[in-house]
Amino acid sequence: MIKIENLSYSFPQKNLYNNISFTLEEGQHCAFIGTNGSGKSTLIDIIMDPEKYMFDGKLEIDPNCRIGYVRQFQEIDKTKEITVFEYLAEDFIKLQNEITAICTEMETSSDIETLLEKYQEALDAFEAINGDDYENMIDKKLNLIELIKSKDLMISELSGGESKLIQIIKGMINNPDLLIMDEPDVFLDFEHLNSLKDLINTHKGTMLVITHNRYLLNHCFNKILHLENMELQEFDGNYIDYNFSLLQTKIELQELAAADT
């Protein structure tokens, strides 16, 4: 799905990456870790909009790959007078209305060919996000995190943690090929963190998640990318196995150093 080979990138005053490489395969849940300032968010930006950046190396992304993004400090516009369900269903309802409007226009228009093209494009977009099943998908996600009773609440009535979970659900139900999330756990209490864990683990699509949260790292991911000091380590496996691998490497290096003395 994504392949990066020998990518290097620098700001005017700082080198960020030096020949980093990794692949992200379909269906993987990948944790992206590293200290603040190591360049994780910039690498996400490069993946999402490579034309904006002048970098060395290769970045290959499936041209049909639809990327969803949940920002770290994204806020729901609580001035909107809509319910939780209406907020989650916005994109589906918009496409439904577009399809209906095209059908109505067809009844009186002489340019049927152009309208048929628009109609097919709208249908394809609706199918790509599994539109026929959107109400059921919304209910399932809300049930999973025990927020089904909030379905008809106004979004302005949600707590901060609930708002964050609703944003994540919206990112998931739009059925992107790749869902990128930037520290989705920030400011969540343990109850909401546990709900986030359940959402990640039941999501069938590919995910790339920036996080420092040990609870999520230990329970949610089957691939680790670790960016540090301009270099990137790629590990296929969970975070516990990754740490064990680091420990083994450290012990082996210490043994080699001791043998040399």
Side-chain angles (χ1 to χ4, degrees), residues 218-237:
N218 287 337
H219 291 92
C220 295
F221 302 101
N222 54 21
K223 185 182 183 79
I224 307 294
L225 296 178
H226 185 179
L227 185 61
E228 209 73 50
N229 298 323
M230 300 189 294
E231 297 182 351
L232 185 138
Q233 289 184 307
E234 178 182 24
F235 183 81
D236 286 318

Side-chain angles (χ1 to χ4, degrees), residues 141-156:
K141 294 292 187 188
L142 291 174
N143 261 319
L144 178 67
I145 62 171
E146 299 182 0
L147 281 181
I148 192 66
K149 291 179 181 175
S150 302
K151 178 180 175 178
D152 297 318
L153 287 180
M154 306 305 288
I155 56 169
S156 56

Side-chain angles (χ1 to χ4, degrees), residues 104-119:
T104 302
E105 199 176 343
M106 279 181 183
E107 293 173 9
T108 55
S109 175
S110 57
D111 190 4
I112 296 296
E113 193 170 321
T114 300
L115 288 173
L116 278 172
E117 282 182 22
K118 282 186 180 178
Y119 178 71

Side-chain angles (χ1 to χ4, degrees), residues 10-209:
S10 301
F11 288 135
Q13 303 298 325
K14 183 178 181 180
N15 295 327
L16 273 187
Y17 321 121
N18 181 28
N19 291 328
I20 63 171
S21 301
F22 72 90
T23 57
L24 190 57
E25 304 289 348
E26 189 173 335
Q28 285 185 317
H29 286 184
C30 178
F32 192 12
I33 63 175
T35 56
N36 289 331
S38 57
K40 300 184 299 298
S41 295
T42 300
L43 188 57
I44 294 298
D45 287 342
I46 290 173
I47 290 170
M48 293 184 64
D49 194 0
E51 300 300 318
K52 269 178 31 182
Y53 293 86
M54 296 288 291
F55 56 83
D56 295 322
K58 285 175 66 177
L59 169 58
E60 296 177 13
I61 302 177
D62 186 323
N64 298 316
C65 180
R66 293 182 305 107
I67 299 177
Y69 185 42
V70 178
R71 291 177 176 81
Q72 182 176 357
F73 297 114
Q74 186 173 330
E75 290 284 337
I76 293 177
D77 182 1
K78 292 193 175 183
T79 62
K80 283 186 178 179
E81 288 300 310
I82 57 174
T83 66
V84 168
F85 177 80
E86 288 167 339
Y87 172 76
L88 291 173
E90 267 181 328
D91 295 332
F92 301 97
I93 292 169
K94 183 180 176 183
L95 277 170
Q96 278 184 326
N97 291 340
E98 187 180 330
I99 290 166
T100 302
I102 293 169
C103 289
T104 302
E105 199 176 343
M106 279 181 183
E107 293 173 9
T108 55
S109 175
S110 57
D111 190 4
I112 296 296
E113 193 170 321
T114 300
L115 288 173
L116 278 172
E117 282 182 22
K118 282 186 180 178
Y119 178 71
Q120 191 58 53
E121 284 173 10
L123 272 184
D124 290 344
F126 194 64
E127 187 178 329
I129 60 174
N130 200 15
D132 289 333
D133 196 38
Y134 79 87
E135 293 184 50
N136 184 42
M137 288 193 299
I138 289 171
D139 285 351
K140 276 186 176 177
K141 294 292 187 188
L142 291 174
N143 261 319
L144 178 67
I145 62 171
E146 299 182 0
L147 281 181
I148 192 66
K149 291 179 181 175
S150 302
K151 178 180 175 178
D152 297 318
L153 287 180
M154 306 305 288
I155 56 169
S156 56
E157 298 178 74
L158 297 176
S159 70
E162 289 168 344
S163 294
K164 189 69 179 182
L165 292 174
I166 293 302
Q167 288 175 53
I168 290 162
I169 289 176
K170 188 166 188 175
M172 289 178 170
I173 61 172
N174 286 339
N175 200 29
D177 299 303
L178 169 63
L179 178 60
I180 296 173
M181 298 197 287
D182 189 351
E183 299 200 47
D185 48 274
V186 170
F187 305 134
L188 294 186
D189 61 23
F190 185 74
E191 181 185 352
H192 290 135
L193 189 65
N194 205 45
S195 294
L196 173 57
K197 178 202 75 172
D198 292 340
L199 285 172
I200 291 173
N201 285 339
T202 55
H203 183 66
K204 291 189 167 44
T206 311
M207 302 182 80
L208 179 60
V209 182

